Amino acid sequence: MASTLAKPVILFVCLGNICRSPLAEAAFRKAAAEAGLEADTDSAGTAAYHVGSSPDPRSIATASDHGIDISTYRGRQLTEHDFTRFTHIFAMDHQNLRNIKAVAPAGSSVKIALLMDCVKGREGAAIADPYYDGEDRFDETWEDVDAAAKALVATLAGRD
Ligand code: 4NP
C-alpha cells in the first residue's frame, strides 16, 4: 500500500560538504530507490570553505565503488531557508549538530538529529571526519552512512 505520509525532504549536513554529507545523501538516495521510497534530498556544510566545489575525490571514488556518481554534486553552506524547505536535517557529528541548532530560526519545526541516531544501538554516535585521514577511512564513512541510510529509509517507509 502506498504511504500516506508526506514526502520526506531530507538534508544531510557536515562541515565542508565535500566528504561525509555527499556520501550520506548518495547512500540514502540509493537505499530509497531500492525501497521505492519517494524523497527529496540535498546536502550542505555548516562552513563555507568549499562552496561551489566538487566532492572530495575520495568521496567520489567511494560512491563510485557503490555504483553512484556524485561528481556533479557541488558544495554549499547551510542557510536559514533550509529550515523551512526540509522536513529533516541530519548532522554527521556533534559539532555540526550544535552549529545547525545554533542557526535554527525560533519556532522551526524541522526535525534535527544526528544521522547515527537512526541506527539502533549507535544513537548519539558521530560519523568521524575522514578529511585528514587516508582513503581507507572513506570506506568506514561509507559503512556508517549506508547503515544509517538503510535504517532511515526503513523508518520513513514504515517498515520498522
Ligand atoms: P566534511 O569533511 O565535513 O565531511 O566535508 C571536511 C572537509 C573539509 C574540511 C574539513 C572537513 N576542511 O577543513 O576544509
Side-chain angles (χ1 to χ4, degrees):
M1 194 171 76
S3 168
T4 53
L5 299 172
K7 180 163 80 167
V9 188
I10 302 175
L11 183 66
F12 300 92
V13 178
C14 60
L15 178 65
N17 192 208
I18 57 167
C19 295
R20 291 166 291 177
S21 59
L23 281 180
E25 182 184 1
F28 179 84
R29 289 172 68 90
K30 182 178 184 185
E34 286 170 0
L37 175 75
E38 260 195 71
D40 287 338
T41 61
D42 198 2
S43 68
T46 54
Y49 315 133
H50 298 284
V51 170
S53 301
S54 303
D56 187 285
R58 296 165 295 179
S59 280
I60 293 176
T62 302
S64 177
D65 287 345
H66 297 277
I68 309 161
D69 179 13
I70 63 167
S71 64
T72 58
Y73 290 16
R74 291 294 176 267
R76 74 171 181 86
Q77 191 174 21
L78 182 72
T79 71
E80 201 172 316
H81 182 50
D82 291 325
F83 294 89
T84 53
R85 252 181 84 200
F86 291 92
T87 57
H88 301 71
I89 298 179
F90 287 108
M92 300 301 120
D93 62 29
H94 302 86
Q95 182 65 54
N96 286 296
L97 181 65
R98 279 193 292 277
N99 290 345
I100 294 164
K101 288 182 172 171
V103 296
S108 163
S109 61
V110 59
K111 291 185 183 124
I112 301 170
L114 283 172
L115 184 59
M116 291 310 285
D117 285 348
C118 299
V119 183
K120 284 197 182 80
R122 297 196 61 195
E123 298 90 344
I127 296 175
D129 184 352
Y131 184 64
Y132 295 103
D133 294 323
E135 216 143 295
D136 288 358
R137 277 288 299 125
F138 283 72
D139 290 334
E140 287 173 40
T141 304
W142 176 265
E143 295 302 323
D144 284 347
V145 298
D146 191 47
K150 286 174 175 154
L152 178 57
V153 165
T155 299
L156 294 172
R159 291 181 196 128
D160 136 353

